[in-house]
Amino acid sequence: MSRQVPGARGPEREPARPDSTAVSDPVAGAGTLEERNALVVSGLSKSFGGAQALVDVSLEVRAGEIHGLLGENGSGKSTLIKILAGYHTPDPGAEITVAGSHVDHSLDQHELGRLGVSFVHQDLGLIPSLTVTDNFLLLGQDDLSRLHISWARERRRVAEALKAYGVHVDPGAVVDNLSPLQRALVAVVRAVEGRQEHLLRLLVLDEPTVFLPAKEVGMLFSLMRRVAAEGAGVLFVTHDMGEVLTITDRVTVLRDGHPQGTLDTNQTTERELVELILGHQWAHDHALSDRQDGRAEPRLVAVTGLSGAGLHEISLSVHDGEVLGVTGLVGSGFEQLPYLLLGATKAETGDIRLGEWAADLRRLHPTQAVDAGVVLVPGNRLADGVVGELSVSENVTLPVLPRFFRALRLQKRKLTQHSLELMKRVDVRPLWPAAAISALSGGNQQKAVIAKWLQVNPRLLLLHEPTQGVDVGARAQIVKEIRAAAATGTAVIVATSDYEHLEDVADRVLVLADGVLRHELTGGELTKANISEKCLTSTSTEHGRAGATGIADVLSAEQRA
């Protein structure tokens, strides 16, 4: 159940709207209590097989308020949002009410639009190749089948909607040509005004600020305040403590699928929020130091001055046989590191040295990296790690295919035997080399991709989210293979948000926030709880206060104007 938790007052925030009493009851006296709430959820649980993702969750978003939703990765936030979006159906017994109307548990997008519920997800949901006006028309319109569309009228309508919210974007502009901020603002205005026939009751924002600088986040927050001031409830999902303390009126915390409480933000401290999320006391630690690692092994890999794809001046080293974990919150930039080091994503600055081999990361091509012994197991294995139309045997032998040609003829029997040995080594099931790799489970696909690259005895093994979407057995096998590769002298970098995996496999862990290194964890510090805590607090402890101040300054300036 939701509870109010008293606490010391947090940092001062600009009032959400001119009448400060509106924060607690923006439409006092207008209808019943349920009608004054944009969203009421009670007794909501969700299980997947034997695993409970949500347990008896209750949540109330008032009309006219901005309500934060916090929790670690795996806390149940995504499952809750997917239930509200109609993607998942909750377990029996849940009650969901939107603006006083009890709703069915298996809603589609049309029904959600009729109820006045709109979503802005992290990817924003815009089609890059279409214009702003086209994207507005695609949202919730029932009459797109009509024979004639007045494009001039539609462009005027979109222009008026954007202008009403202070968004200066050409309705005829192609979305792909807009800045990240412009796209985010367009997505929010589209969610508010796109369904012209239905009044907005609830706007759900699922981490839309991840890729925006602090000043631009402030502009988005200004737009959110206007939406709330018009009476809609806003449910805002984020990891950033500075954002929560700046923009929200109240905040609800989930931990391991269980509700931990609902707090008034202006009576809440950062420490109290963090401890509610983590479930234990938060002990501040020191930021990343310049200390030297005490290992005696030579440093096989050295990266200096790496910038690009949201990373800023990253320098790091990895020893022979060391497993280095790299992590952070979504949008911190850690997930870009493997692709930059392979040359799959172009760097703006930076160099890499691997033994005697060195390269300028601005000019590095993946084929050059592979030739030097740098290989990558990508996060999206089906799209980027395998050729789905080919068999398991054909996929796992791609890097060594020339070995099986003699007199310009492919030695199929030897190739099949070799792939069978690889599959046995990493326990790919079923043990059938001729099977289409797309028919394998996610965990077996992942083991096949890892086997494909381990056979070349790489000098640097890069992995992005190697345990994502795999079962317990596959997870254990993947840890075993990573450690075995390190035992042969391979340097390993694992970029993942799976803190438990890092606890199991890493010798050191680097924590990133906003594209820069914030913490280095070694030895006894390498626990799931500690890694999680550093990721959760790195933004707010190192720069989040400054960021929050910057956001507040933007809001103050906007309100003065």
Side-chain angles (χ1 to χ4, degrees):
M1 294 294 292
S2 179
R3 61 182 175 88
Q4 294 298 117
V5 183
R9 188 174 180 82
E12 289 192 13
R13 303 180 300 129
E14 291 295 321
R17 49 199 67 84
D19 180 5
S20 61
T21 61
V23 173
S24 58
D25 196 355
V27 286
T32 66
L33 177 62
E34 278 192 338
E35 290 171 339
R36 298 203 303 271
N37 285 319
L39 173 71
V40 177
V41 173
S42 62
L44 190 149
S45 298
K46 179 62 180 177
S47 58
F48 297 95
Q52 284 287 128
L54 293 172
V55 182
D56 196 23
V57 172
S58 294
L59 174 68
E60 173 191 282
V61 180
R62 297 169 182 165
E65 81 165 342
I66 299 175
H67 193 111
L69 181 63
L70 284 174
E72 296 181 84
N73 294 330
S75 64
K77 301 190 306 296
S78 295
T79 301
L80 176 57
I81 297 303
K82 287 179 179 179
I83 288 174
L84 295 179
Y87 185 81
H88 289 320
T89 300
D91 295 344
E95 293 288 338
I96 302 176
T97 302
V98 176
S101 298
H102 291 278
V103 300
D104 185 72
H105 296 156
S106 54
L107 296 175
D108 58 25
Q109 288 299 311
H110 175 74
E111 180 68 10
L112 288 166
R114 187 187 66 78
L115 290 168
V117 182
S118 284
F119 292 80
V120 177
H121 298 286
Q122 189 181 122
D123 63 4
L124 302 180
L126 301 173
I127 299 178
S129 60
L130 299 182
T131 68
V132 173
T133 299
D134 294 335
N135 274 278
F136 267 69
L137 275 169
L138 288 174
L139 182 66
Q141 299 299 310
D142 298 327
D143 55 354
L144 283 178
S145 61
R146 65 184 186 268
L147 294 178
H148 177 70
I149 295 176
S150 174
W151 291 102
R153 183 181 63 195
E154 294 299 336
R155 281 192 291 270
R156 284 195 302 272
R157 178 180 72 84
V158 173
E160 289 170 1
L162 294 169
K163 183 179 179 181
Y165 287 92
V167 178
H168 305 291
V169 173
D170 179 3
V174 175
V175 167
D176 201 31
N177 296 329
L178 301 180
S179 70
L181 173 64
Q182 289 174 321
R183 294 178 198 176
L185 295 176
V186 165
V188 173
V189 176
R190 184 183 76 146
V192 175
E193 296 290 338
R195 294 186 173 96
Q196 27 184 337
E197 69 273 22
H198 301 299
L199 179 67
L200 181 71
R201 301 292 189 183
L202 175 68
L203 176 63
V204 181
L205 298 167
D206 190 2
E207 300 201 61
T209 64
V210 163
F211 303 108
L212 297 181
K215 184 176 181 180
E216 295 187 348
V217 170
M219 297 176 189
L220 180 60
F221 281 3
S222 178
L223 177 52
M224 290 165 59
R225 288 200 188 283
R226 294 189 190 191
V227 171
E230 292 181 0
V234 178
L235 181 60
F236 177 51
V237 183
T238 182
H239 283 291
D240 192 294
M241 294 294 109
E243 292 180 359
V244 168
L245 293 168
T246 298
I247 191 64
T248 66
D249 300 308
R250 294 188 303 148
V251 58
T252 294
V253 174
L254 296 179
R255 185 170 71 242
D256 297 328
H258 297 261
Q260 301 302 308
T262 296
L263 303 89
D264 291 322
T265 310
N266 63 1
Q267 297 178 356
T268 302
T269 64
E270 177 184 341
R271 174 181 290 275
E272 187 173 18
L273 276 177
V274 171
E275 292 181 351
L276 204 57
I277 292 169
L278 297 175
H280 60 77
Q281 288 190 335
W282 172 31
H284 286 272
D285 81 324
H286 300 291
L288 180 69
S289 70
D290 294 325
R291 66 184 182 275
Q292 296 295 313
D293 193 294
R295 293 170 61 107
E297 293 90 339
R299 294 188 172 191
L300 177 64
V301 182
V303 177
T304 55
L306 171 60
S307 296
L311 296 181
H312 309 290
E313 290 294 322
I314 299 294
S315 294
L316 57 87
S317 62
V318 192
H319 301 282
D320 292 19
E322 181 182 30
V323 180
L324 176 68
V326 183
T327 191
L329 297 179
V330 174
S332 63
F334 79 89
E335 65 275 12
Q336 296 296 334
L337 186 64
Y339 303 94
L340 287 161
L341 296 184
L342 186 77
T345 298
K346 289 304 173 188
E348 296 170 5
T349 63
D351 299 285
I352 183 172
R353 179 174 293 279
L354 183 61
E356 298 301 316
W357 175 81
D360 183 339
L361 287 168
R362 295 174 298 173
R363 300 178 177 86
L364 181 63
H365 190 275
T367 55
Q368 296 173 306
V370 172
D371 288 343
V374 182
V375 302
L376 169 68
V377 176
N380 190 338
R381 53 185 165 264
L382 195 54
D384 303 323
V386 301
V387 182
E389 295 79 11
L390 299 183
S391 69
V392 178
S393 177
E394 290 166 330
N395 269 278
V396 299
T397 54
L398 278 174
V400 295
L401 197 58
R403 298 181 191 173
F404 299 96
F405 277 93
R406 176 169 294 180
L408 300 180
R409 297 190 65 177
L410 180 63
Q411 298 175 300
K412 293 184 178 180
R413 183 176 297 178
K414 286 187 176 181
L415 183 144
T416 300
Q417 182 60 37
H418 177 75
S419 61
L420 189 62
E421 292 170 359
L422 281 177
M423 294 171 70
K424 287 179 180 177
R425 170 181 168 180
V426 298
D427 194 26
V428 174
R429 302 179 187 181
L431 195 59
W432 184 23
I437 198 164
S438 57
L440 270 57
S441 68
N444 283 292
Q445 288 177 8
Q446 187 74 324
K447 287 186 286 185
V449 175
I450 291 173
K452 177 178 75 173
W453 289 116
L454 288 182
Q455 69 183 318
V456 303
N457 298 315
R459 302 175 73 192
L460 173 60
L461 173 62
L462 305 169
L463 303 104
H464 178 212
E465 299 292 358
T467 57
Q468 184 172 266
V470 305
D471 61 29
V472 174
R475 185 186 184 94
Q477 186 68 35
I478 289 168
V479 170
K480 177 183 175 183
E481 294 303 328
I482 292 173
R483 294 306 315 177
T488 67
T490 297
V492 182
I493 296 179
V494 180
T496 181
S497 57
D498 185 338
Y499 310 140
E500 185 175 351
H501 178 59
L502 290 176
E503 180 182 28
D504 290 340
V505 79
D507 299 308
R508 271 190 304 141
V509 170
L510 302 180
V511 176
L512 278 71
D514 288 312
V516 298
L517 294 178
R518 295 295 180 188
H519 301 277
E520 177 180 332
L521 306 177
T522 59
E525 299 171 314
L526 292 177
T527 65
K528 176 184 175 182
N530 202 36
I531 296 168
S532 175
E533 179 179 309
K534 299 306 177 292
C535 289
L536 187 66
T537 59
S538 57
T539 297
S540 55
T541 55
E542 307 305 330
H543 73 92
R545 290 303 186 194
T549 302
I551 294 167
D553 289 344
V554 172
L555 292 174
S556 299
E558 188 273 340
Q559 288 169 350
R560 288 195 298 270

